[in-house]
């Protein structure tokens, strides 16, 4: 059984939990609160030197970091991972796009505006750039979705999961989705996928709240 270190309200962590739920794959979930420094303890850093979640233990003492790499790993050999060479590349294209255009902007805005108390005041200087670049990224997605139901291979894949993770919380951090009808339709389409779970849902998971971690100040 997989052991997944993740944070409930992290979009990157949610992507992995969603994939595991859709695949009906059991896993042992360990909640890591990055806001309390729980990903910066010596014990966690020994597992993942970057100090980030999600982190998946795929075998005893062997860990895989980076949400989209984990998605690709757990989806291998399933319908979530395209089979043909070009369709795999298409899925990866959108997953790379998510990490360089979407997550650094919408993900950052979500973290500071929705999760960190007082974060808006701390990041006032960055908000304008996040908004501009986040809207630009969503416009690219909107243009694609005007003529496609999904992002790769003509079907629901890990590319959709990767992009859904932060797009679906964009309205919680100042983004207005009213001008993106194709994105809104796609969000509903993803949510109607059999096995879908919300960010707060963790079916198939054995949940552990770590008690021995000491938060950093």
């Amino acid at each position: 059984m997989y052991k997944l270190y993740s944070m409930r309200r992290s979009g990157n962590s949610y992507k992995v939990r969603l994939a595991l739920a859709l695949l009906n794959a059991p896993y042992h979930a360990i909640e890591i609160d990055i806001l309390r420094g729980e990903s910066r303890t010596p014990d966690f850093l020994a597992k993942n030197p970057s100090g980030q979640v999600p982190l998946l233990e795929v075998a005893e003492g062997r860990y895989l970091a980076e949400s989209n790499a984990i998605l690709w790993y757990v989806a291998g050999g399933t319908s979530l991972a395209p089979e043909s060479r070009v369709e795999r590349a298409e899925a990866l294209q959108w997953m790379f796009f998510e990490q360089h255009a979407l997550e650094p902007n919408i993900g950052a805005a979500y973290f500071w505006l929705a999760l960190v108390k007082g974060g808006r005041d701390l990041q006032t200087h960055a908000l304008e750039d996040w908004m501009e670049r986040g809207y630009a990224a969503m416009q690219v997605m909107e243009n694609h979705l005007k003529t496609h139901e999904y992002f790769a291979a003509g079907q629901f894949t890990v590319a959709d999961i990767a992009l859904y993770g932060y797009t679906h919380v964009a309205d919680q951090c100042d983004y207005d989705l009213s001008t993106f009808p194709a994105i809104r339709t796609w969000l509903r389409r993803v949510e109607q996928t059999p096995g879908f779970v919300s960010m707060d849902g963790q079916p198939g998971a054995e949940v552990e709240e770590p008690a021995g971690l000491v938060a950093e100040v």
Side-chain angles (χ1 to χ4, degrees):
M1 181 186 294
Y2 295 128
K3 183 180 289 185
L4 176 65
Y5 298 83
S6 72
M7 179 174 167
R8 183 71 63 91
R9 296 187 67 192
S10 155
N12 281 325
S13 293
Y14 171 51
K15 291 187 292 187
V16 178
R17 296 198 308 272
L18 176 55
L20 291 171
L22 292 167
L23 294 169
N24 197 28
Y27 64 98
H28 182 71
I30 300 175
E31 180 72 8
I32 300 293
D33 188 346
I34 64 175
L35 299 177
R36 294 178 55 208
E38 292 176 354
S39 66
R40 308 301 302 181
T41 65
D43 179 64
F44 189 85
L45 290 173
K47 299 178 177 69
N48 182 15
S50 71
Q52 297 176 335
V53 292
L55 181 70
L56 187 71
E57 186 172 14
V58 298
E60 184 69 29
R62 187 163 190 176
Y63 300 93
L64 188 61
E66 298 298 333
S67 59
N68 287 352
I70 298 172
L71 283 182
W72 200 253
Y73 176 82
V74 301
T78 77
S79 62
L80 293 180
E83 293 184 5
S84 78
R85 183 178 178 184
V86 67
E87 288 175 343
R88 287 197 301 269
E90 286 175 350
L92 287 169
Q93 166 190 296
W94 282 107
M95 295 171 83
F96 295 150
F97 171 85
E98 186 268 339
Q99 283 292 284
H100 76 70
L102 196 74
E103 194 273 348
N105 298 299
I106 297 178
Y110 171 71
F111 179 81
W112 288 101
L113 302 188
L115 301 187
V116 177
K117 185 177 181 180
R120 182 182 298 275
D121 293 335
L122 292 172
Q123 295 295 330
T124 301
H125 64 286
L127 280 176
E128 185 176 346
D129 283 345
W130 288 341
M131 291 296 113
E132 180 181 353
R133 294 171 185 169
Y135 276 122
M138 286 194 289
Q139 189 60 59
V140 172
M141 295 169 62
E142 178 75 11
N143 292 341
H144 176 83
L145 290 168
K146 288 177 181 178
T147 55
H148 300 80
E149 290 190 351
Y150 298 105
F151 281 95
Q155 66 184 56
F156 182 77
T157 69
V158 285
D160 296 283
I161 296 174
L163 288 160
Y164 181 84
Y166 280 109
T167 305
H168 90 286
V169 293
D171 61 350
Q172 297 182 32
C173 48
D174 290 8
Y175 290 95
D176 180 5
L177 297 183
S178 64
T179 59
F180 300 104
I183 287 181
R184 297 200 311 274
T185 298
W186 167 75
L187 290 173
R188 292 192 295 270
R189 188 177 297 124
V190 171
E191 291 156 6
Q192 292 166 2
T193 304
F196 173 85
V197 294
S198 68
M199 183 177 272
D200 290 329
Q202 294 191 115
E206 297 178 356
V207 180
E208 175 184 334
E209 303 282 347
L213 296 175
V214 180
E216 293 182 347
V217 177

